[in-house]
Amino acid sequence: MTDDVRSAPESGTIVPLGHEVYQIDTRMAGYQGITAGYLIRSERPCLVETGTAPSAPVVRDALASLGVHAADLATVVVTHIHLDHAGGVGDIAAMFPAAQVVVHELGARHLADPSRLMASARMVYGDELDGLFGELAPTPAERIRTVERTGVVDLGGGRRLESHYSPGHAKHHVGLVDAVSGDLYTGDAAGIYIPETGDQRPATPPPDFDLDIALASLRMFAALRPARLLFSHYGPVDAVAEALDRSAEEIRLWVAETRRARRAGLDLDHAVAMVAERTRERYAVFAPDADPDLAAKYNRIAGAPSNVSGIMHWLDKPSAGATASR
Ligand SMILES: [Zn+2]
C-alpha cells in the first residue's frame, strides 16, 4: 500500500484565493485544472467538493500542506453527488474521521449506499468509469447531514457557509455562499468556465436537466449578489453578473439548437454533431489555433454528447412542452 506515503503537492495544485480560501486541483483522471476542490481554512476548516475517489490522496496531501490534518477537518460539503464532485466523499470521510459530510437531502442516500449511483454510472461510462471516476465508497449514515432549500455550515469564529438549493443541472444540487468572502460556490449550476480561454459552456446532462429550473437557479444566484463565483470547473470569476448572464445565454442557445435538431428528426448522434458544429465558433477553446488537448479535456466534463442528450431527455418529458415556444 502506498496509502501512507505523503508527498508534497505539485506546484499549481494549491492556489490561495484570499479570505483563507484555497483552490485545490483534484486532478480528475490525471488532468490538470479540470476539477477544483476548495478549502476554507477557518476555525472549523471546510472542504467544498472532494473530486473523484482517486483524487482523495491528492486532496489529503494538499490539506496536510495547508496544516489541516486528519483530526482537523470539520466539514466536507458537496454541491451535488456527481462523481467528479463527490466521488471521493467516502475516502475523504475515512481519512478525516472528525468531518461531517453535508449534502442536499436528495443526494444523501447515495453517499450512504452508492450501489445504485455506481451501477447507473457504469451504464453511462462503461469501461471508462474506473479511469475517469473510480469507485465512490460509502459514508456512514450518521456522519451525513442533509440540507434542504437552505442550510448553514458553521465555519467557526462567526463565519458561515449558506447553502441554497439550485436544481436544473441535478436535482440534488446546492450553491454555497461564504458570508465573509461573498464567494458563491457554483458547482455545475452555472455550467463550466475555462480559465485558459475565458469560455463558458453549459452543463446539461441527463437525467435531471430542466431549462426553466436551471434558469430559475441562475436568477437565484444573481439575487444572492455574490462577490465572486468559484466554479468547480474551474476556478474564480470576479465579473459575477456577466458570467451568470452568459451561463443563462449558453443554456438557452444549446436548448434552441438541440430543439432545432430534434425537429429536423435527427437521431442523437447526428443531433450532437449538428449542435456541436453550430455552437463551435462561440468558443475560443475550439479555435483552429487552440490547444487540442484543452478541448479534449473539457469535452470530458461538459461535452456535446452529454449536453445534447440531457436536453433531448428533457424535451421528451411532457412538462417540457409548456416551454416549447421559448
Ligand atoms: Zn461537474
Side-chain angles (χ1 to χ4, degrees):
M1 294 288 289
T2 56
D3 243 12
D4 288 313
V5 178
R6 305 291 200 274
S7 53
E10 288 175 57
S11 71
T13 298
I14 300 171
V15 177
L17 299 178
H19 299 283
E20 287 298 309
V21 176
Y22 296 86
Q23 173 188 295
I24 298 168
D25 186 345
T26 65
R27 305 274 160 122
M28 185 187 93
Y31 289 112
Q32 290 187 14
I34 188 171
T35 46
Y38 296 93
L39 173 69
I40 305 169
R41 197 170 63 176
S42 54
E43 276 181 29
R44 291 173 46 78
C46 175
L47 175 68
V48 181
E49 315 282 50
T50 63
T52 64
S55 296
V58 175
V59 173
R60 177 200 57 201
D61 293 348
L63 295 196
S65 79
L66 290 164
V68 176
H69 299 282
D72 302 332
L73 190 67
T75 317
V76 176
V77 193
V78 290
T79 59
H80 61 302
I81 61 164
H82 289 164
L83 294 172
D84 50 329
H85 301 254
V89 165
D91 296 83
I92 292 289
M95 289 169 175
F96 296 91
Q100 187 174 55
V101 173
V102 177
V103 62
H104 187 264
E105 59 178 339
L106 295 177
R109 69 189 174 100
H110 298 290
L111 296 185
D113 174 9
S115 53
R116 275 185 54 194
L117 179 67
M118 290 308 304
S120 66
R122 196 163 288 282
M123 268 181 19
V124 173
Y125 292 101
D127 291 341
E128 284 199 290
L129 180 72
D130 300 303
L132 277 175
F133 302 117
E135 187 87 16
L136 170 61
T139 299
E142 64 273 16
R143 292 186 56 192
I144 299 174
R145 181 164 70 82
T146 60
V147 291
E148 300 176 21
R149 185 147 294 277
T150 59
V152 174
V153 172
D154 178 9
L155 300 172
R159 189 168 178 175
R160 294 149 52 98
L161 192 62
E162 296 165 2
S163 76
H164 296 269
Y165 185 45
S166 50
H169 170 83
K171 65 176 188 273
H172 40 73
H173 195 292
V174 298
L176 302 150
V177 177
D178 180 333
V180 165
S181 67
D183 288 326
L184 170 61
Y185 297 85
T186 57
D188 286 349
I192 70 163
Y193 169 72
I194 303 177
E196 293 90 339
T197 57
D199 289 325
Q200 283 180 245
R201 283 168 62 80
T204 60
D208 291 347
F209 171 70
D210 184 297
L211 172 65
D212 299 303
I213 294 174
L215 294 177
S217 289
L218 289 173
R219 287 193 296 273
M220 185 272 289
F221 277 179
L224 294 170
R225 306 190 74 78
R228 178 168 66 175
L229 305 178
L230 297 181
F231 283 78
S232 298
H233 320 285
Y234 186 92
V237 171
D238 291 319
V240 170
E242 293 86 340
L244 292 177
D245 283 350
R246 178 71 189 270
S247 298
E249 181 189 331
E250 290 293 318
I251 291 174
R252 282 201 189 90
L253 179 92
W254 279 66
V255 167
E257 292 295 347
T258 301
R259 187 174 266 139
R260 177 202 292 259
R262 188 167 174 268
R263 284 190 180 135
L266 300 186
D267 65 17
L268 181 60
D269 286 350
H270 288 89
V272 168
M274 178 180 145
V275 175
E277 190 52 41
R278 290 182 60 91
T279 55
R280 169 173 295 269
E281 283 190 354
R282 295 174 65 78
Y283 309 108
V285 73
F286 294 126
D289 57 345
D291 176 1
D293 291 343
L294 197 58
K297 180 173 85 167
Y298 282 100
N299 271 330
R300 282 292 196 187
I301 42 163
S306 166
N307 282 346
V308 172
S309 60
I311 295 167
M312 286 280 199
H313 186 79
W314 171 70
L315 289 169
D316 286 341
K317 293 178 185 172
S319 55
T323 61
S325 59
R326 284 181 210 171

